[in-house]
Short mmCIF file of all heavy atoms in Angstrom, two decimals:
data_model
loop_
_atom_site.label_atom_id
_atom_site.label_comp_id
_atom_site.label_asym_id
_atom_site.label_seq_id
_atom_site.Cartn_x
_atom_site.Cartn_y
_atom_site.Cartn_z
N ILE A 50 24.56 -21.78 -2.63
CA ILE A 50 24.86 -22.94 -3.60
C ILE A 50 24.31 -22.38 -4.90
O ILE A 50 23.27 -22.12 -5.24
CB ILE A 50 23.86 -24.15 -3.24
CG1 ILE A 50 24.07 -24.63 -1.90
CG2 ILE A 50 24.17 -25.35 -4.18
CD1 ILE A 50 23.37 -25.83 -1.49
N GLY A 51 25.34 -22.14 -5.81
CA GLY A 51 25.09 -21.47 -7.05
C GLY A 51 25.56 -19.95 -6.88
O GLY A 51 25.02 -19.24 -6.11
N SER A 52 26.59 -19.64 -7.56
CA SER A 52 27.16 -18.30 -7.49
C SER A 52 27.36 -17.73 -8.86
O SER A 52 28.42 -17.08 -9.12
CB SER A 52 28.56 -18.39 -6.74
OG SER A 52 28.30 -18.95 -5.48
N GLY A 53 26.54 -18.04 -9.78
CA GLY A 53 26.52 -17.54 -11.15
C GLY A 53 25.95 -16.15 -11.15
O GLY A 53 26.03 -15.34 -10.28
N ARG A 54 25.10 -15.98 -12.21
CA ARG A 54 24.57 -14.56 -12.39
C ARG A 54 23.66 -14.20 -11.20
O ARG A 54 23.94 -13.17 -10.57
CB ARG A 54 23.86 -14.54 -13.74
CG ARG A 54 24.72 -14.55 -14.91
CD ARG A 54 24.02 -14.82 -16.22
NE ARG A 54 23.46 -16.15 -16.23
CZ ARG A 54 22.64 -16.62 -17.24
NH1 ARG A 54 22.44 -15.97 -18.22
NH2 ARG A 54 22.21 -17.84 -17.17
N GLU A 55 22.61 -15.06 -11.04
CA GLU A 55 21.63 -14.61 -9.94
C GLU A 55 22.29 -14.91 -8.61
O GLU A 55 22.24 -13.97 -7.65
CB GLU A 55 20.35 -15.44 -10.12
CG GLU A 55 19.32 -15.00 -9.22
CD GLU A 55 18.51 -13.81 -9.54
OE1 GLU A 55 18.84 -13.09 -10.48
OE2 GLU A 55 17.62 -13.46 -8.81
N GLY A 56 22.91 -16.02 -8.31
CA GLY A 56 23.56 -16.33 -7.09
C GLY A 56 24.65 -15.35 -6.70
O GLY A 56 24.76 -14.91 -5.51
N SER A 74 30.97 -23.15 -5.49
CA SER A 74 31.05 -23.60 -6.84
C SER A 74 31.67 -25.06 -6.75
O SER A 74 32.35 -25.37 -5.77
CB SER A 74 31.89 -22.65 -7.63
OG SER A 74 32.30 -23.20 -8.93
N ARG A 75 31.55 -25.77 -7.89
CA ARG A 75 32.25 -27.06 -7.99
C ARG A 75 33.75 -26.68 -8.37
O ARG A 75 34.54 -27.53 -8.28
CB ARG A 75 31.63 -27.92 -8.95
CG ARG A 75 30.29 -28.48 -8.55
CD ARG A 75 29.32 -28.91 -9.57
NE ARG A 75 28.97 -27.94 -10.53
CZ ARG A 75 28.28 -27.98 -11.72
NH1 ARG A 75 27.85 -29.24 -11.98
NH2 ARG A 75 28.10 -27.15 -12.50
N HIS A 76 33.94 -25.47 -8.59
CA HIS A 76 35.31 -25.11 -8.87
C HIS A 76 35.56 -23.67 -8.28
O HIS A 76 35.59 -22.68 -8.82
CB HIS A 76 35.47 -24.74 -10.47
CG HIS A 76 34.93 -25.78 -11.24
ND1 HIS A 76 35.66 -26.93 -11.45
CD2 HIS A 76 33.80 -26.06 -11.93
CE1 HIS A 76 34.83 -27.72 -12.10
NE2 HIS A 76 33.75 -27.20 -12.54
N VAL A 96 30.52 -26.72 -2.33
CA VAL A 96 29.13 -26.73 -1.91
C VAL A 96 29.04 -27.24 -0.56
O VAL A 96 28.25 -26.64 0.37
CB VAL A 96 28.26 -27.60 -2.99
CG1 VAL A 96 26.92 -27.89 -2.50
CG2 VAL A 96 28.42 -27.08 -4.31
N VAL A 109 20.68 -21.47 -5.83
CA VAL A 109 20.43 -20.71 -7.12
C VAL A 109 21.15 -21.33 -8.30
O VAL A 109 22.19 -20.98 -8.75
CB VAL A 109 21.03 -19.24 -6.96
CG1 VAL A 109 20.44 -18.31 -7.91
CG2 VAL A 109 20.78 -18.66 -5.42
N VAL A 110 20.51 -22.48 -8.60
CA VAL A 110 21.21 -23.42 -9.56
C VAL A 110 20.17 -23.74 -10.56
O VAL A 110 18.95 -23.62 -10.39
CB VAL A 110 21.74 -24.81 -8.89
CG1 VAL A 110 22.84 -24.45 -7.89
CG2 VAL A 110 20.55 -25.52 -8.24
N PRO A 111 20.63 -24.20 -11.84
CA PRO A 111 19.66 -24.82 -12.73
C PRO A 111 18.93 -25.87 -12.06
O PRO A 111 19.53 -26.63 -11.23
CB PRO A 111 20.54 -25.42 -13.88
CG PRO A 111 21.90 -24.64 -13.80
CD PRO A 111 22.06 -24.34 -12.25
N TYR A 112 17.58 -25.85 -12.23
CA TYR A 112 16.82 -26.87 -11.53
C TYR A 112 17.21 -28.38 -11.72
O TYR A 112 17.02 -29.09 -10.82
CB TYR A 112 15.32 -26.76 -11.90
CG TYR A 112 14.37 -27.08 -10.75
CD1 TYR A 112 14.03 -26.05 -9.82
CD2 TYR A 112 13.87 -28.39 -10.57
CE1 TYR A 112 13.22 -26.43 -8.69
CE2 TYR A 112 13.00 -28.66 -9.54
CZ TYR A 112 12.67 -27.75 -8.61
OH TYR A 112 11.90 -28.07 -7.53
N ALA A 114 19.97 -29.53 -11.24
CA ALA A 114 20.87 -29.84 -10.13
C ALA A 114 20.19 -30.14 -8.78
O ALA A 114 20.83 -30.57 -7.87
CB ALA A 114 21.92 -28.72 -10.04
N GLU A 117 20.22 -33.84 -7.44
CA GLU A 117 21.62 -34.33 -6.84
C GLU A 117 21.84 -33.57 -5.59
O GLU A 117 22.30 -34.17 -4.62
CB GLU A 117 22.63 -33.77 -7.93
CG GLU A 117 23.99 -34.19 -7.63
CD GLU A 117 24.95 -33.55 -8.55
OE1 GLU A 117 24.66 -33.36 -9.74
OE2 GLU A 117 26.11 -33.09 -8.11
N ILE A 118 21.45 -32.29 -5.43
CA ILE A 118 21.75 -31.47 -4.31
C ILE A 118 20.88 -32.15 -3.12
O ILE A 118 21.35 -32.31 -1.87
CB ILE A 118 21.36 -30.02 -4.40
CG1 ILE A 118 22.45 -29.52 -5.34
CG2 ILE A 118 21.26 -29.36 -3.07
CD1 ILE A 118 22.14 -27.99 -5.88
N VAL A 135 15.72 -20.13 -5.06
CA VAL A 135 15.64 -19.10 -6.15
C VAL A 135 15.58 -19.81 -7.45
O VAL A 135 15.50 -19.17 -8.47
CB VAL A 135 16.82 -18.22 -5.98
CG1 VAL A 135 16.75 -16.96 -6.96
CG2 VAL A 135 16.97 -17.62 -4.62
N SER A 136 15.77 -21.18 -7.48
CA SER A 136 15.94 -21.89 -8.71
C SER A 136 14.59 -22.19 -9.41
O SER A 136 13.53 -22.38 -8.76
CB SER A 136 16.62 -23.21 -8.38
OG SER A 136 17.75 -23.02 -7.62
N ASN A 137 14.70 -22.19 -10.71
CA ASN A 137 13.41 -22.39 -11.60
C ASN A 137 13.54 -23.52 -12.48
O ASN A 137 14.57 -23.69 -13.15
CB ASN A 137 13.13 -21.13 -12.49
CG ASN A 137 12.99 -19.88 -11.70
OD1 ASN A 137 12.19 -19.86 -10.59
ND2 ASN A 137 13.62 -18.85 -11.88
N ILE A 139 12.92 -24.73 -15.92
CA ILE A 139 12.71 -24.00 -17.20
C ILE A 139 12.80 -25.02 -18.29
O ILE A 139 13.83 -25.61 -18.52
CB ILE A 139 13.69 -22.98 -17.51
CG1 ILE A 139 13.83 -21.97 -16.28
CG2 ILE A 139 13.42 -22.22 -18.80
CD1 ILE A 139 13.00 -20.76 -16.33
N ARG A 142 15.56 -25.09 -20.83
CA ARG A 142 16.86 -25.20 -20.33
C ARG A 142 17.03 -26.62 -19.55
O ARG A 142 18.03 -27.21 -19.76
CB ARG A 142 17.18 -24.07 -19.38
CG ARG A 142 18.64 -24.24 -18.77
CD ARG A 142 18.82 -23.30 -17.59
NE ARG A 142 17.86 -23.65 -16.46
CZ ARG A 142 17.45 -22.77 -15.53
NH1 ARG A 142 17.85 -21.49 -15.55
NH2 ARG A 142 16.57 -23.05 -14.62
N PHE A 174 12.76 -14.33 -5.09
CA PHE A 174 13.61 -13.83 -6.23
C PHE A 174 13.66 -14.55 -7.49
O PHE A 174 14.50 -14.37 -8.29
CB PHE A 174 15.07 -13.74 -5.60
CG PHE A 174 15.36 -12.72 -4.59
CD1 PHE A 174 15.39 -13.15 -3.22
CD2 PHE A 174 15.24 -11.31 -4.86
CE1 PHE A 174 15.65 -12.24 -2.27
CE2 PHE A 174 15.46 -10.45 -3.78
CZ PHE A 174 15.60 -10.91 -2.53
N ASN A 175 12.65 -15.40 -7.63
CA ASN A 175 12.69 -16.36 -8.76
C ASN A 175 12.54 -15.83 -10.21
O ASN A 175 12.99 -16.27 -11.13
CB ASN A 175 11.64 -17.44 -8.65
CG ASN A 175 11.61 -18.14 -7.32
OD1 ASN A 175 11.18 -17.60 -6.29
ND2 ASN A 175 12.50 -19.17 -7.24
N ALA A 176 11.85 -14.50 -10.25
CA ALA A 176 11.70 -14.00 -11.59
C ALA A 176 11.99 -12.44 -11.57
O ALA A 176 11.61 -11.73 -12.33
CB ALA A 176 10.22 -14.16 -12.01
N ILE A 177 13.11 -12.22 -10.76
CA ILE A 177 13.69 -10.83 -10.79
C ILE A 177 15.14 -11.02 -11.43
O ILE A 177 15.91 -11.73 -10.85
CB ILE A 177 13.82 -10.23 -9.41
CG1 ILE A 177 12.32 -10.02 -8.80
CG2 ILE A 177 14.53 -8.89 -9.45
CD1 ILE A 177 12.30 -9.28 -7.52
N ASN A 178 15.25 -10.39 -12.52
CA ASN A 178 16.51 -10.60 -13.21
C ASN A 178 17.79 -10.08 -12.37
O ASN A 178 17.63 -9.15 -11.65
CB ASN A 178 16.58 -9.73 -14.50
CG ASN A 178 17.68 -10.14 -15.48
OD1 ASN A 178 18.72 -9.50 -15.33
ND2 ASN A 178 17.53 -11.04 -16.30
N TYR A 179 18.82 -10.82 -12.57
CA TYR A 179 19.95 -10.58 -11.70
C TYR A 179 20.47 -9.10 -11.83
O TYR A 179 21.03 -8.55 -10.93
CB TYR A 179 21.06 -11.55 -11.91
CG TYR A 179 21.87 -11.37 -13.23
CD1 TYR A 179 23.09 -10.85 -13.29
CD2 TYR A 179 21.43 -11.71 -14.52
CE1 TYR A 179 23.86 -10.71 -14.45
CE2 TYR A 179 22.03 -11.57 -15.69
CZ TYR A 179 23.20 -11.09 -15.60
OH TYR A 179 23.96 -10.95 -16.84
N1 NAP B 1 19.68 -15.14 -14.14
C1 NAP B 1 18.68 -14.67 -13.66
O1 NAP B 1 18.46 -13.38 -13.76
C2 NAP B 1 17.80 -15.39 -12.75
C3 NAP B 1 16.83 -14.73 -12.04
C4 NAP B 1 16.07 -15.43 -11.15
C5 NAP B 1 16.20 -16.85 -10.94
N2 NAP B 1 17.14 -17.43 -11.57
C6 NAP B 1 17.37 -18.96 -11.46
O2 NAP B 1 18.51 -19.09 -10.79
C7 NAP B 1 19.09 -20.30 -11.14
C8 NAP B 1 20.58 -20.05 -11.67
O3 NAP B 1 20.56 -19.08 -12.82
P1 NAP B 1 21.88 -18.28 -13.19
O4 NAP B 1 21.34 -17.38 -14.36
O5 NAP B 1 22.48 -17.63 -12.05
O6 NAP B 1 22.75 -19.45 -13.70
P2 NAP B 1 24.30 -19.54 -13.96
O7 NAP B 1 24.82 -18.14 -14.22
O8 NAP B 1 24.55 -20.50 -15.07
O9 NAP B 1 24.85 -20.11 -12.51
C9 NAP B 1 24.54 -21.42 -12.13
C10 NAP B 1 25.28 -21.74 -10.90
O10 NAP B 1 24.68 -23.02 -10.42
C11 NAP B 1 25.92 -23.77 -10.10
N3 NAP B 1 25.62 -25.24 -10.34
C12 NAP B 1 25.17 -25.85 -11.45
N4 NAP B 1 25.03 -27.12 -11.17
C13 NAP B 1 25.39 -27.33 -10.07
C14 NAP B 1 25.39 -28.54 -9.21
N5 NAP B 1 25.13 -29.83 -9.62
N6 NAP B 1 25.83 -28.38 -7.91
C15 NAP B 1 26.14 -27.17 -7.27
N7 NAP B 1 26.12 -26.00 -8.07
C16 NAP B 1 25.71 -26.12 -9.39
C17 NAP B 1 26.94 -23.33 -10.88
O11 NAP B 1 28.24 -23.65 -10.29
P3 NAP B 1 29.52 -24.23 -10.90
O12 NAP B 1 30.53 -22.99 -10.80
O13 NAP B 1 29.86 -25.28 -10.06
O14 NAP B 1 29.23 -24.39 -12.27
C18 NAP B 1 26.77 -21.78 -11.02
O15 NAP B 1 27.26 -21.17 -9.96
C19 NAP B 1 18.31 -20.82 -12.25
O16 NAP B 1 17.34 -21.82 -11.72
C20 NAP B 1 17.47 -19.57 -12.78
O17 NAP B 1 16.22 -20.00 -13.37
C21 NAP B 1 18.08 -16.73 -12.49
#
Side-chain angles (χ1 to χ4, degrees):
I50 306 183
S52 306
R54 287 167 298 179
E55 184 79 358
S74 166
R75 292 163 296 176
H76 314 282
V96 173
V109 201
V110 296
Y112 209 86
E117 178 191 331
I118 289 169
V135 187
S136 309
N137 298 312
I139 310 272
R142 181 192 61 203
F174 293 107
N175 306 87
I177 297 185
N178 189 275
Y179 74 104

